[in-house]
Amino acid sequence: MTKKHVKVLRTTWLDGPSIWTYKPAIETLLDIQELEQYPSHLLPGFTDRLIAYLPGLYEHQCGVGVPGGFIERLRDGTYAAHILEHITIELHNMIGQHVKFGKARMASQEGVYKMVFHTTDRKVGLACFESAMRLLQACIDDQAFDMQSELAALRQVAKRHAMGDSTRQIVEAARKRKIPVLRMNNSNLIQLGQGYKQEQIWGAETSRTSAIADGVASDEELTRQILGMCGVPVPDEDEVADLEAKARSGAHGHFYRLLMMKGQLVAASQILNNELNKSQDKISHVDVTAQVHADIVRNASLAAKLVGLNIAGVDLVCDRIDQDLSNQRMQVLRLACRPDLSLHSTLNNEDGRSVADMIIDSLFDENEDGRIPVVSYSGGPESLGLGQAIHAMLTMAGHKTALSSKKGLNLIDHYVDHAKDISQTTNWFAGRRCLISKQVQAAVMRVDALSILSEGLPFDRSSVAVLTSLGPREGLEEWDILDGSKHFNVMRTAVDVVLSNGCAVLNADDVGLLPIAKLCDGEVIWFASSPENGILQEHFRQGGRAVYLLDGMIHYQTGTGASTRLISMSSFKGLLSAEGAMAAIAAAWALNVTPELIHASLAFYLEKGWAKNPSNQRV
């Protein structure tokens, strides 16, 4: 029996930075079986059949670096896992889910590969991958494949599960400004920012919109009643459908959508007809923002204010958008609290800003990115109690701090989950819970190799990453982490995502961490058991900061200047290891906690014995 097919051993949803990419991705573990002996150039007619179904593959550069690069690889001979990567990416693009990233790498077992691809949604990504599997097999077997039916089914999956167009535009605008994005459900509810600095959107509706305004706008008859009573021209209920139909067809007047933000006109489009552009699945429209007369703007602004919408789509009918209302009739049909931003895709602003950019600017000030301090920490047994110590110091410094650790999940001042299963409080979900609470002002969370490999990091970037060591390698064999170099590549992920104004805190006594320092975009603070450590000495010569032990006292020092004694190691009474104590102090120092507060908070921490008893939680 032939085995010229691919066997899927595992699929893993990575909803955050991983060993592969900063973006959400799906990792697949594939056994290509007999196909290991049959690269593409040894499969008669395969490449031509695949190109006939997916001509867009000509645009894939692959490692060659130019369009057509992947086709060249196909004709020279490449393997099934690599081909699946490109088919999956191309299917995403064909249904409007713009994807570029993918990789395929051989695992330690012959014929087994890890193939990963970026996707905008887990269910959409899996559907595209499964379709890619079917297409690959059809091309291998020279069997017919109904591409149009496959694409239609994929579009339906995307319609149900992927972000809508308005949401996607706002998310892209947020990411341009480095604002973190957290998807809250399988629809369009999105958190922008973290903790107490967050805002939320649902489509183009923002958290600044009141529930009452939403409710009123959702009731068209009530909306027109309120507008009419306050002088805004509106049609009678039985006239609406006929007016709109005639205006959309151009038989009588014209149909317009005005986008108002905080009472100001930001965009306006004329809807040309009521037919969808089938190739783009969008309504035909043309930008008329620069033509809207002040009389019409004034009425649209009043309408939005009367209902209480800070962002509103105002649908209206009139003869000429550029004329006053003395010689024409204008009528407002409805208000949309979640206006479709695709109706303003042709907006041409002098400053180059899109409507989505304006929405983000209305939510976040120019220099604001919605981030709170996020501290990750990793290590072996020496890191026990490290998270609690950092949590204590940040809390004493005035931050309402969340903690995800081996002790449990602590949201500000109480443990909402005591750890029965460590994996439940040091995983992606526990870390994400730290970021979605609107009270949280700082977050401390433990990350380990298993959670990085199986889920990804729960944050996009961090302020501080602490590594006391690479941590244990036990249990990672099923992820093909079989040696120190692969373990290193997993744990470097925590340092890869440190912000440029952030800091990595590293153990200078562990020479295996030295290469990680070069991967940090921000500063590095080292700690060591002696000031004579060679890494510290070189770091001091370069003006760097470090924490170390000397005569039983923890010191901190910048450059070649004098050191400052902070606290005796004997004070910790075994609640923290020397590595844990120095790492905690360095992390607090990185976040500008003063030495006085560090000392006071550690004294409080030691008095309450948090490292042993997580019930002692209030500061």
Side-chain angles (χ1 to χ4, degrees):
M1 180 179 177
T2 180
K3 289 189 177 180
K4 286 184 182 177
H5 65 271
V6 177
K7 182 179 181 181
V8 180
L9 303 179
R10 182 179 65 222
T11 60
T12 304
W13 170 234
L14 301 169
D15 196 6
S18 64
I19 63 173
W20 302 102
T21 176
Y22 290 146
K23 302 175 181 179
I26 289 177
E27 178 191 285
T28 64
L29 187 65
L30 308 172
D31 185 350
I32 68 171
Q33 304 185 97
E34 197 173 290
L35 285 168
E36 180 74 3
Q37 310 305 321
Y38 289 90
S40 53
H41 69 300
L42 296 182
L43 297 168
F46 171 83
T47 296
D48 291 335
R49 289 192 290 272
L50 181 60
I51 295 172
Y53 285 118
L54 300 177
L57 291 176
Y58 275 108
E59 300 300 317
H60 292 217
Q61 299 184 12
C62 200
V64 180
V66 294
F70 178 61
I71 303 301
E72 182 180 329
R73 295 286 301 277
L74 281 171
R75 299 202 184 283
D76 290 343
T78 190
Y79 292 91
H82 182 213
I83 299 168
L84 268 174
E85 169 206 330
H86 282 270
I87 296 175
T88 305
I89 289 172
E90 182 59 22
L91 290 175
H92 273 85
N93 293 332
M94 292 176 75
I95 62 170
Q97 304 295 309
H98 305 293
V99 169
K100 292 182 178 180
F101 173 81
K103 282 187 179 180
R105 295 290 183 267
M106 185 182 293
S108 56
Q109 182 180 343
E110 183 180 2
V112 176
Y113 291 77
K114 288 183 177 181
M115 188 277 284
V116 64
F117 56 92
H118 165 53
T119 184
T120 52
D121 176 86
R122 176 178 174 270
K123 291 186 178 180
V124 173
L126 287 175
C128 287
F129 169 67
E130 291 164 0
S131 182
M133 289 277 290
R134 291 190 289 270
L135 176 55
L136 174 72
Q137 196 63 50
C139 290
I140 291 172
D141 297 338
D142 193 10
Q143 297 293 317
F145 186 80
D146 190 345
M147 176 59 77
Q148 294 309 312
S149 294
E150 288 282 336
L151 290 176
L154 290 176
R155 289 190 181 100
Q156 285 301 311
V157 174
K159 187 175 182 179
R160 288 194 301 271
H161 299 291
M163 286 186 287
D165 189 69
S166 296
T167 305
R168 179 188 54 78
Q169 289 184 50
I170 298 171
V171 164
E172 289 176 355
R175 285 177 172 150
K176 280 195 300 185
R177 284 193 46 183
K178 311 299 182 185
I179 295 168
V181 175
L182 309 179
R183 194 174 182 191
M184 303 297 289
N185 64 359
N186 291 327
S187 184
N188 292 293
L189 179 60
I190 305 292
Q191 178 178 313
L192 306 174
Q194 302 162 334
Y196 81 109
K197 290 188 175 182
Q198 69 178 269
E199 298 285 351
Q200 293 182 339
I201 63 166
W202 193 311
E205 184 176 8
T206 77
S207 46
R208 307 274 178 98
T209 302
S210 74
I212 292 177
D214 182 302
V216 172
S218 299
D219 186 330
E220 292 187 17
E221 184 176 355
L222 176 59
T223 298
R224 286 189 290 270
Q225 180 182 346
I226 292 172
L227 299 186
M229 287 190 298
C230 295
V232 177
V234 295
D236 293 334
E237 180 67 23
D238 57 1
E239 297 179 310
V240 175
D242 186 54
L243 268 175
E244 182 170 358
K246 289 180 178 178
R248 282 180 178 266
S249 67
H252 187 276
H254 299 288
F255 183 78
Y256 298 94
R257 162 63 65 84
L258 273 60
L259 185 65
M260 311 301 295
M261 192 178 303
K262 295 182 178 180
Q264 303 297 312
L265 175 69
V266 297
S269 292
Q270 180 182 346
I271 311 303
L272 298 181
N273 54 59
N274 201 28
E275 294 297 321
L276 288 180
N277 182 326
K278 299 300 183 183
S279 63
Q280 299 181 5
D281 196 30
K282 293 181 180 180
I283 297 174
S284 298
H285 63 279
V286 61
D287 179 59
V288 294
T289 307
Q291 304 172 33
V292 185
H293 193 276
D295 272 3
I296 296 175
V297 173
R298 185 162 47 251
N299 277 275
S301 176
L302 178 58
K305 291 177 180 178
L306 288 170
V307 174
L309 295 174
N310 64 327
I311 298 175
V314 181
D315 290 346
L316 59 85
V317 172
C318 66
D319 293 330
R320 295 286 301 273
I321 197 72
D322 59 347
Q323 299 293 320
D324 64 27
L325 300 182
S326 60
N327 294 311
Q328 68 167 331
R329 187 184 183 195
M330 181 212 77
Q331 292 182 304
V332 174
L333 305 184
R334 68 181 63 84
L335 268 63
C337 57
R338 298 175 192 165
D340 182 358
L341 301 190
S342 68
L343 295 179
H344 307 289
S345 59
T346 56
L347 177 66
N348 185 20
N349 275 329
E350 292 182 0
D351 60 8
R353 291 193 306 159
S354 68
V355 170
D357 292 328
M358 297 180 203
I359 291 175
I360 290 297
D361 291 345
S362 75
L363 297 174
F364 297 92
D365 292 338
E366 183 178 357
N367 297 317
E368 179 58 63
D369 60 10
R371 294 186 182 277
I372 62 173
V374 172
V375 181
S376 73
Y377 69 100
S378 310
E382 75 285 344
S383 64
L384 183 64
L386 172 56
Q388 285 79 11
I390 299 173
H391 176 270
M393 287 184 279
L394 292 180
T395 302
M396 186 68 81
H399 300 290
K400 294 180 178 179
T401 306
L403 169 66
S404 169
S405 73
K406 287 185 176 182
K407 297 292 182 181
L409 178 62
N410 183 327
L411 292 181
I412 302 178
D413 63 354
H414 65 287
Y415 276 84
V416 295
D417 282 330
H418 287 284
K420 296 179 181 177
D421 178 355
I422 289 174
S423 65
Q424 294 179 355
T425 55
T426 60
N427 62 5
W428 179 93
F429 183 60
R432 186 59 59 93
R433 289 172 72 181
C434 292
L435 301 177
I436 64 176
S437 171
K438 293 184 178 181
Q439 293 179 299
V440 170
Q441 297 174 336
V444 180
M445 53 189 84
R446 183 179 185 87
V447 299
D448 56 31
L450 183 59
S451 63
I452 293 171
L453 289 166
S454 62
E455 300 174 296
L457 292 173
F459 47 85
D460 64 331
R461 304 298 296 267
S462 66
S463 307
V464 179
V466 181
L467 268 72
T468 58
S469 69
L470 294 180
R473 202 163 72 229
E474 291 77 18
L476 303 181
E477 295 82 5
E478 68 170 299
W479 300 93
D480 205 43
I481 307 303
L482 305 178
D483 56 42
S485 64
K486 289 184 176 181
H487 192 199
F488 175 92
N489 284 334
V490 176
M491 296 311 301
R492 64 167 283 182
T493 306
V495 174
D496 283 332
V497 299
V498 171
L499 291 160
S500 59
N501 61 351
C503 182
V505 174
L506 305 176
N507 185 355
D509 291 332
D510 186 342
V511 294
L513 297 181
L514 183 58
I516 285 186
K518 298 178 182 179
L519 305 174
C520 182
D521 290 340
E523 182 190 1
V524 174
I525 297 179
W526 291 98
F527 65 89
S529 57
S530 167
E532 302 304 316
N533 180 286
I535 294 175
L536 259 61
Q537 290 296 309
E538 178 60 28
H539 194 55
F540 286 143
R541 283 191 287 270
Q542 296 178 10
R545 295 193 284 173
V547 176
Y548 55 83
L549 269 177
L550 178 63
D551 298 329
M553 295 290 296
I554 295 179
H555 293 240
Y556 63 94
Q557 179 177 331
T558 302
T560 56
S563 68
T564 301
R565 293 191 305 174
L566 187 65
I567 192 171
S568 170
M569 193 61 220
S570 62
S571 303
F572 289 90
K573 301 175 183 178
L575 292 176
L576 276 178
S577 67
E579 296 94 335
M582 291 187 288
I585 289 168
W589 191 17
L591 292 172
N592 300 315
V593 180
T594 65
E596 294 79 11
L597 272 176
I598 290 175
H599 189 280
S601 56
L602 284 176
F604 187 88
Y605 167 85
L606 295 169
E607 178 186 348
K608 295 295 183 181
W610 281 9
K612 289 184 176 179
N613 183 7
S615 298
N616 294 328
Q617 55 211 258
R618 294 185 178 274
V619 173

